[in-house]
Amino acid sequence: MARFIFITGGVVSSLGKGLMAASLAALLQARGYRVRIRKFDPYLNVDPGTMSPYQHGEVYVTDDGAETDLDLGHYERFTGVSARQSDNITSGRIYQTIIQKERRGDYLGATVQVIPHVTDAIKEFAKAETDDLDFVLCEIGGTVGDIESLPFIEAIRQLRNELGRELTLSVHVTLVPYIAAAGELKTKPTQHSVRELTSLGIQPDVLLCRCEHPLPENERAKIAAFCNVRKEAVIPALDAKSIYAVPLQYHAEGLDNEVLRAFGLDYSGEPDLSRWEDIIERQSNPEGEVTIGVVGKYVGLADAYKSLNEALVHGGLANRVKVNINWIDAELFAQSEAEIAAALEPMHAILVPGGFGERGSEGKIASVKFARERQVPFFGICLGMQMACIEGARNTAGIADASSTEFGPTEEPVVGIITEWMAEEGLQKREAGGDLGGTMRLGAYDAKLSGNSHVANIYGANDISERHRHRYEVNVHYKDALESGGLVFSGMSPDGELPEIVERPEHPWFIGVQFHPELKSKPFAPHPLFASFVEAAVKQSRLV
């Protein structure tokens, strides 16, 4: 039977519960255990799909089409275990399900309440599809004490009683701040946070203490005494130079040993951490560096492009180089070629990522033109591919008014809203004025690559599967016109109706993809497109 590890956070948000969960899961996996990580989000949105990237950061998409919290990206990148729809739940989805049941009469006239109905739904989610696992790690979003998270805290309190302490463990992540004026670390916030959690019926077994300075033994003992845990279970968590160093750092501090000890499991052996050691060795000893310009819309918040950032890092690992990312706001591009050139000339490669809406689109198109004309490696992802097609239509195919219906009415809809497509469950249909949430082409879809194409050589295959998240598609009726201008459609959906990949064979490296390859990249298995893109940037760096 699966053992459950419940991860909560206190004092302040953004302490790194997601990275902690991913790192602990990686350590357990390195000892041969089967793991899965789940995220409980207390907000009332059904999923983050309709939330602004500035509010929530990146929306991570799973193979089965779920729009989820960005922490699921960390989970996948650290464990290699593909996330599923069932690995992320929100208060909104819980309440939506309960209200639908109430309207159908499923509760047989009972008064529907937070306890037991909401807490029972949370517990069912936590226990679903866990029969083949050794450990299920459940991260509770938000901070202990938030009114939104109370049903989740109550649910895990009940689960601990129902499953027994031999099958459950509580890990609490807190902050031990350093007060510069006093020159010392303060443990009182951690004490108060644990007291708050204890008052809700949960006594933590392990404390992970985020701190900027080493935690002295006397302070560690003090926290243990006041918080009713073993001193060895107070784990210091200092900032790491790289997120991929965190598993090694936590192991050195004894986190996995303490977790296994609490479950009564043998922890005498050492986990196989060789792949993490190799990653850090590559990061610490690069053989060069490149600068890649990312021309996007949400560059003011790094988390908006979290998976993209990590996939570029992975491409650097594959080539043993450091990747410097220059985030460029597409909206700030004046349409002066001199100003665009000044911003992009120092770049060894240019990437235009996904996004929504017209804002910044002309700046992205100008970036594509610069990359095409100057022979600079170019990578367009989702909207970036669409911008590459519009740029090609305008400047190499003679369609001066080419645009996207996403930006308004146009007589030359090179990109248009997709109203129907084939999925495993059958024909999918959408209306232009329909709901925004969950109505895009979401999840993994197959594509067929041209046998003599650049992308087929990169993948080493002609059949691929990649994750999608978009509502608009390149209009296949413009295929001949675009190819006459040198933009080749080298990847299509199996039925030949939906363009998946475009490339310019005469260019050193010019590829646009309708999907999001960054979602499948991992530090120990870099995505082939990112590895090849960074390799092209390395070659470009030697030319300038």
Side-chain angles (χ1 to χ4, degrees):
M1 189 174 183
R3 297 171 176 83
F4 288 81
I5 301 173
F6 300 109
I7 300 162
T8 54
V11 186
V12 295
S13 60
S14 302
L15 286 180
K17 295 193 303 295
L19 278 175
M20 179 269 161
S23 298
L24 176 56
L27 290 174
L28 294 172
Q29 191 181 55
R31 290 178 176 272
Y33 292 108
R34 298 163 298 174
V35 300
R36 180 165 288 281
I37 320 177
R38 291 186 160 156
K39 179 71 182 289
F40 301 70
D41 278 312
Y43 51 73
L44 287 175
N45 302 70
V46 173
D47 60 45
T50 57
M51 296 169 72
S52 165
Y54 285 120
Q55 282 274 319
H56 186 267
E58 167 190 80
V59 175
Y60 193 78
V61 179
T62 61
D63 279 337
D64 59 2
E67 294 177 286
T68 72
D69 185 81
L70 62 81
D71 276 328
L72 271 74
H74 290 311
Y75 303 164
E76 277 203 28
R77 284 188 287 274
F78 276 62
T79 66
V81 177
S82 293
R84 301 183 293 220
Q85 175 91 39
S86 58
D87 291 330
N88 190 201
I89 196 73
T90 69
S91 290
R93 195 162 131 218
I94 291 285
Y95 283 114
Q96 182 187 59
T97 302
I98 288 171
I99 290 170
Q100 287 172 345
K101 286 184 177 181
E102 186 274 334
R103 291 291 83 187
R104 291 196 303 263
D106 292 359
Y107 294 111
L108 304 177
T111 301
V112 181
Q113 298 175 291
V114 172
I115 302 174
H117 301 99
V118 172
T119 51
D120 281 354
I122 294 170
K123 289 187 291 183
E124 287 172 11
F125 159 74
K127 294 186 292 184
E129 303 174 22
T130 60
D131 291 341
D132 61 340
L133 300 172
D134 298 310
F135 289 97
V136 181
L137 288 77
C138 300
E139 178 196 346
I140 316 300
T143 307
V144 168
D146 294 345
I147 192 169
E148 296 95 340
S149 64
L150 289 177
F152 292 94
I153 299 296
E154 172 60 19
I156 65 174
R157 184 195 68 79
Q158 293 179 19
L159 270 176
R160 296 205 73 187
N161 285 336
E162 293 168 11
L163 297 175
R165 298 306 166 92
E166 67 277 7
L167 291 178
T168 61
L169 183 81
S170 170
V171 178
H172 191 52
V173 184
T174 73
L175 178 68
V176 180
Y178 179 77
I179 308 300
E184 60 183 359
L185 293 164
K186 291 295 183 181
T187 65
K188 190 63 70 176
T190 291
Q191 295 175 40
H192 282 300
S193 181
V194 171
R195 185 178 303 160
E196 177 79 24
L197 184 60
T198 305
S199 72
L200 297 173
I202 298 175
Q203 167 62 50
D205 302 290
V206 177
L207 294 178
L208 194 75
C209 300
R210 288 298 311 275
C211 43
E212 296 178 346
H213 297 268
L215 190 62
E217 285 299 305
N218 63 318
E219 297 298 324
R220 197 171 175 182
K222 182 179 178 182
I223 291 173
F226 277 98
C227 298
N228 195 30
V229 298
R230 285 163 36 91
K231 178 184 170 184
E232 293 78 10
V234 179
I235 308 294
L238 278 73
D239 293 343
K241 292 182 179 180
S242 163
I243 62 172
Y244 301 120
V246 174
L248 296 172
Q249 185 173 306
Y250 284 171
H251 174 65
E253 295 291 352
L255 175 61
D256 50 325
N257 289 352
E258 192 59 29
V259 166
L260 293 174
R261 189 210 65 81
F263 278 117
L265 298 173
D266 177 41
Y267 56 92
S268 58
E270 283 294 309
D272 180 7
L273 299 175
S274 56
R275 70 180 182 183
W276 297 103
E277 292 165 350
D278 178 61
I279 290 167
I280 297 307
E281 192 277 327
R282 286 171 175 265
Q283 275 194 320
S284 303
N285 301 287
E287 296 175 359
E289 59 182 76
V290 295
T291 301
I292 294 176
V294 178
V295 184
K297 180 178 175 181
Y298 313 112
V299 295
L301 180 68
D303 276 354
Y305 298 112
K306 189 62 181 174
S307 291
L308 177 64
N309 182 91
E310 297 309 314
L312 287 169
V313 171
H314 305 162
L317 292 173
N319 290 278
R320 297 194 74 98
V321 295
K322 178 184 178 183
V323 176
N324 301 308
I325 303 174
N326 191 347
W327 301 98
I328 302 171
D329 190 343
E331 194 177 8
L332 298 180
F333 264 172
Q335 295 310 296
S336 156
E337 289 192 8
E339 290 181 340
I340 293 170
L344 295 180
E345 276 179 350
M347 304 299 112
H348 300 131
I350 296 167
L351 189 151
V352 176
F356 296 89
E358 184 177 12
R359 182 164 56 86
S361 60
E362 291 301 324
K364 296 174 184 178
I365 292 169
S367 303
V368 178
K369 182 181 179 184
F370 178 92
R372 176 179 58 80
E373 292 181 340
R374 300 293 187 93
Q375 299 285 289
V376 177
F378 170 79
F379 196 1
I381 295 175
C382 197
L383 182 65
M385 167 179 155
Q386 296 170 9
M387 297 300 96
C389 290
I390 291 174
E391 190 279 330
R394 290 179 183 177
N395 299 316
T396 66
I399 308 172
D401 296 327
S403 188
S404 169
T405 58
E406 184 176 7
F407 307 153
T410 175
E411 294 184 0
E412 298 288 359
V414 172
V415 177
I417 191 167
I418 177 174
T419 57
E420 58 181 55
W421 66 91
M422 287 301 299
E424 286 186 4
E425 56 271 28
L427 184 66
Q428 303 293 298
K429 293 186 177 183
R430 299 290 185 268
E431 295 180 4
D435 289 346
L436 295 179
T439 59
M440 289 181 278
R441 188 174 180 224
L442 292 165
Y445 286 87
D446 295 335
K448 290 192 172 294
L449 310 183
S450 302
N452 60 347
S453 63
H454 188 193
V455 289
N457 290 330
I458 292 171
Y459 276 99
N462 292 329
D463 297 288
I464 62 170
S465 175
E466 294 282 5
R467 296 178 189 176
H468 295 64
R469 182 179 183 251
H470 58 99
R471 188 172 283 108
Y472 292 81
E473 288 273 0
V474 175
N475 190 337
V476 72
H477 295 110
Y478 286 87
K479 180 175 183 287
D480 291 342
L482 288 170
E483 290 196 328
S484 71
L487 189 66
V488 175
F489 285 53
S490 54
M492 299 290 292
S493 60
D495 61 7
E497 293 295 318
L498 302 176
E500 292 280 7
I501 305 176
V502 295
E503 62 181 68
R504 290 190 176 276
E506 303 305 317
H507 191 282
W509 207 101
F510 190 108
I511 292 173
V513 299
Q514 185 57 73
F515 45 83
H516 289 270
E518 70 271 23
L519 299 179
K520 296 182 76 170
S521 187
K522 300 170 183 63
F524 42 82
H527 193 285
L529 286 176
F530 281 94
S532 178
F533 179 56
V534 172
E535 181 183 21
V538 172
K539 293 177 181 177
Q540 182 72 13
S541 71
R542 294 169 182 161
L543 298 176
V544 294

